[in-house]
C-alpha cells in the first residue's frame, strides 16, 4: 500500500497502554473530591457529556478514547484536538480502569471546573434558581440539576454539605447539564439565601409538611415572580433553622397514601410549577 | 433470677443462626424473578416497607429481624405475629446474607404478591393511571410508582418488558407504595391500552419530541378527564408502534438546554398536571 493517499493529520497526541501509567493514575485520582479540588478538574464520561463539554471551548483538557470509540466519536476527537486538548488512545482495559461506570462508552474527558461564584449568578438577575441544601445523594443532586436545566432555571446552588457537583455519579445523572447552566459550589446556605433575596428572589422551601400547598400558590398567581427553591436532603424535609431562611415553606400535595415524594420528583413538580407560572405571568 | 415476673408470650417462632439454613436459602432465592414467580412471594426490606405491608393483613408471611431491630421495631414484630406470620430472629451476619442493601435496617419480610388483574383495575373506574412501557430501570420504575401514589393515581400498570414490580430495588424505590395502590404486572401494552380506553380513559403518551405540550393541554382544560399516562423506557421516547396506541403524545416542555428529562422527573410533572387539573375540573 505504498503511495496511497496521504492520511489527514491525526489529532491523537499519545497512546496510553498500561494501567500503571501516570496518566491513568492522575485520572483515577479524580474520583476523589480532594484530588478534584486540588487540580480543579473532574471527569465527564460518555458521548453526551463529552459533547456538551466541547460546546464550551477551554473546558475539556484531556480526552481518552478507545479504538472503537475513536471511529464512532470521530467528530468529538476532532473537536477536542482543535480546542487544544490532549487526545489519548487507550485500550479497553485501560478505559475500564479510568471509567467509573461498569459499561463505559469508550470516551472520557478531563474537564476544568465550570462553577461560578455566587455573585456572578445573582448579578444576572436570575428568575428561577434551585438551591440544594445538604442533598447528599449524587444521583438525586444530578437529576435535580438536569431538571432545573430543563425547566429553564438560571442556576443551581450546591449549598452547605451537599454532594460535590463534580462527583462522577452526579455528573452522569445531570446528563450534560453541569455544562449548561451556572452552578455555584460550596456556598453556605445562609450566604446563598441572603444573596438571592438581595437579588429580588422570593425564597420558597420545598417541605412536605408545610402548610402552604403548591397548587394553592399557583392558583393564587403567587409563583410568577423570581423564585429560588430550597430543596433539603433526601428525607425531604428542611431542618427548622434552614427552613427559617426561606420566605415561605411550600408542600407538594400528597393525594394518595405515599408518605412523601422522592426529592428529585418533588423538585420537578416545584420547578415546573414556577416555570409555567413565570411564563404565563403578566408582563413577560 | 428465679421467681421473677413471668415474661409475656414471645411472638418469636424461631431463630435462624446459620447462613446455610434452608430459610436463608429460600429468602435469597427471592432475589431472582423466576423464584419469585414460582412462590408468588417477594421481599420487603426496612422498617417503612414492613410497616406498609402489615397494613394489609395476610400479605406478610414471614418476618426476619435482628436482635437490636426487634427492640426498635417491637410494634412490627407484635403485629406480624398477630397476623399469623412466622417471626424469626437472626444474627446480623444472617441479616446481611438476606438483605439486598448494604446497610440493612435489621428487618425484612417475605410478602405475598399483591398485584391485581387488569380487569380489576379498570372495573374501578380509575381517573388516573400510570402505564410503564418497557421501563427497565428498577429505581425509575419504583420512583414512578411512588410518585403515582403521591399524585393520587388509581393504579400502575407494569406492561410489556418493564422491570418486575417485585424487584428488590423497585420495591425499595417505591418506599411502600407497592402496598398502597393497585399494581398490574405482566400485561401487554396493547391489552392495557385497550382495556383502559374501554374504561373511558384518555391515553396520553409522554414523549419529549411530541408536538403537543403539556402546558398547552393544561391551559386548554384538556387534562381534567380520566387519563392514563404511558411512560416509555429510560431514553424516554416511545417507539412509534407503542406511541400509536395512545390517543395523543404530549411533551413536557424543555425551556433550557437539557436534551430531555429523566423518566421519573417527567412522570412527576405529567402525573401532577393531571392530578391538579382533575381536582379543579368542573363537576368534581
Amino acid at each position: 500500500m505504498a503511495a496511497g493517499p496521504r492520511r489527514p493529520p491525526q489529532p491523537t497526541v499519545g497512546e496510553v497502554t498500561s494501567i500503571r501509567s501516570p496518566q491513568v493514575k492522575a485520572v483515577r485520582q479524580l474520583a476523589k473530591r480532594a484530588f478534584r479540588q486540588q487540580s480543579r478538574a473532574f471527569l465527564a464520561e460518555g458521548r453526551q457529556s463529552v459533547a456538551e463539554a466541547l460546546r464550551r471551548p477551554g473546558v475539556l483538557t484531556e480526552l481518552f478514547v478507545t479504538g472503537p470509540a475513536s471511529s464512532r466519536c470521530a467528530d468529538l476527537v476532532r473537536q477536542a484536538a482543535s480546542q487544544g486538548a490532549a487526545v489519548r488512545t487507550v485500550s479497553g482495559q485501560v478505559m475500564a480502569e479510568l471509567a467509573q461506570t461498569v459499561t463505559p462508552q469508550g470516551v472520557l474527558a478531563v474537564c476544568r471546573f465550570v462553577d461560578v461564584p455566587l455573585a456572578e449568578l445573582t448579578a444576572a438577575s436570575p428568575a428561577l434558581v434551585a438551591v440544594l441544601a445538604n442533598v447528599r445523594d449524587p444521583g438525586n443532586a444530578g437529576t435535580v440539576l438536569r431538571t432545573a436545566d430543563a425547566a429553564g432555571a438560571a442556576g443551581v446552588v450546591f449549598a452547605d454539605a451537599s454532594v460535590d457537583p463534580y462527583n462522577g455519579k452526579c455528573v452522569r445523572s445531570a446528563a450534560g447539564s453541569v455544562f449548561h447552566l451556572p452552578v455555584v459550589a460550596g456556598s453556605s446556605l445562609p450566604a446563598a439565601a441572603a444573596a438571592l433575596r438581595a437579588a429580588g428572589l422570593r425564597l420558597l422551601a420545598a417541605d412536605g409538611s408545610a402548610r402552604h400547598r403548591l397548587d394553592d400558590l399557583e392558583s393564587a398567581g403567587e409563583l410568577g415572580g423570581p423564585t429560588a427553591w430550597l430543596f433539603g436532603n433526601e428525607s425531604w424535609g428542611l431542618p427548622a433553622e434552614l427552613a427559617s431562611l426561606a420566605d415561605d415553606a411550600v408542600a407538594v400535595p400528597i393525594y394518595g397514601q405515599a408518605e412523601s415524594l422522592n426529592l428529585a420528583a418533588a423538585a420537578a413538580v416545584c420547578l415546573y410549577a414556577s416555570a409555567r407560572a413565570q411564563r404565563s405571568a403578566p408582563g413577560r
Side-chain angles (χ1 to χ4, degrees), chain A:
Chain A
M1 291 274 285
R6 227 190 145 95
R7 294 176 71 195
Q10 292 298 297
T12 300
V13 169
E15 197 177 341
V16 180
T17 52
S18 164
I19 61 169
R20 279 179 298 274
S21 79
Q23 287 98 339
V24 171
K25 191 180 165 201
V27 167
R28 284 185 58 84
Q29 283 183 333
L30 294 179
K32 295 223 172 84
R33 185 174 191 161
F35 283 103
R36 290 195 294 268
Q37 293 289 346
Q38 209 171 48
S39 51
R40 294 195 57 77
F42 69 107
L43 298 180
E45 279 186 39
R47 190 185 160 84
Q48 187 189 16
S49 284
V50 169
E52 300 297 320
L54 286 167
R55 290 172 59 186
R56 297 183 55 173
V59 163
L60 190 156
T61 58
E62 208 171 355
L63 184 72
F64 293 86
V65 64
T66 60
S70 70
S71 319
R72 246 188 352 256
C73 308
D75 53 331
L76 301 183
V77 172
R78 259 195 310 275
Q79 274 184 69
S82 77
Q83 289 182 15
V87 178
R88 306 191 199 283
T89 310
V90 298
S91 64
Q93 189 198 12
V94 169
M95 181 56 74
E97 277 296 305
L98 298 174
Q100 294 174 1
T101 48
V102 181
T103 51
Q105 296 175 295
V107 57
L108 176 147
V110 176
C111 298
R112 289 202 179 94
F113 276 10
V114 291
D115 59 285
V116 302
L118 185 57
E120 188 177 320
L121 172 61
T122 52
S125 304
L128 181 59
V129 170
V131 181
L132 304 182
N134 303 310
V135 173
R136 306 306 296 264
D137 181 79
N140 267 340
T143 302
V144 175
L145 177 51
R146 177 177 175 185
T147 305
D149 179 10
V156 175
V157 181
F158 284 65
D160 280 3
S162 289
V163 65
D164 179 14
Y166 301 116
N167 169 294
K169 189 168 180 200
C170 182
V171 172
R172 287 194 299 281
S173 298
S177 291
V178 72
F179 301 112
H180 288 161
L181 73 171
V183 168
V184 176
S187 167
S188 83
L189 193 60
L196 290 163
R197 184 174 289 115
L201 285 84
R202 181 180 181 190
L203 271 63
L204 297 180
D207 179 349
S209 62
R211 201 166 42 85
H212 292 296
R213 288 157 48 109
L214 183 69
D215 298 10
D216 298 337
L217 258 72
E218 190 170 1
S219 307
E222 287 200 40
L223 290 181
T227 303
W229 280 100
L230 269 58
F231 301 112
N233 70 4
E234 280 65 26
S235 64
W236 201 54
L238 286 163
E241 74 270 23
L242 297 187
S244 70
L245 294 170
D247 297 306
D248 281 300
V250 182
V252 175
I254 303 287
Y255 298 116
Q257 295 180 59
E259 198 179 283
S260 65
L261 279 166
N262 157 287
L263 167 69
V269 175
C270 292
L271 291 167
Y272 265 91
S274 285
R276 193 166 49 236
Q278 291 182 347
R279 276 162 185 80
S280 63
R284 275 187 69 108

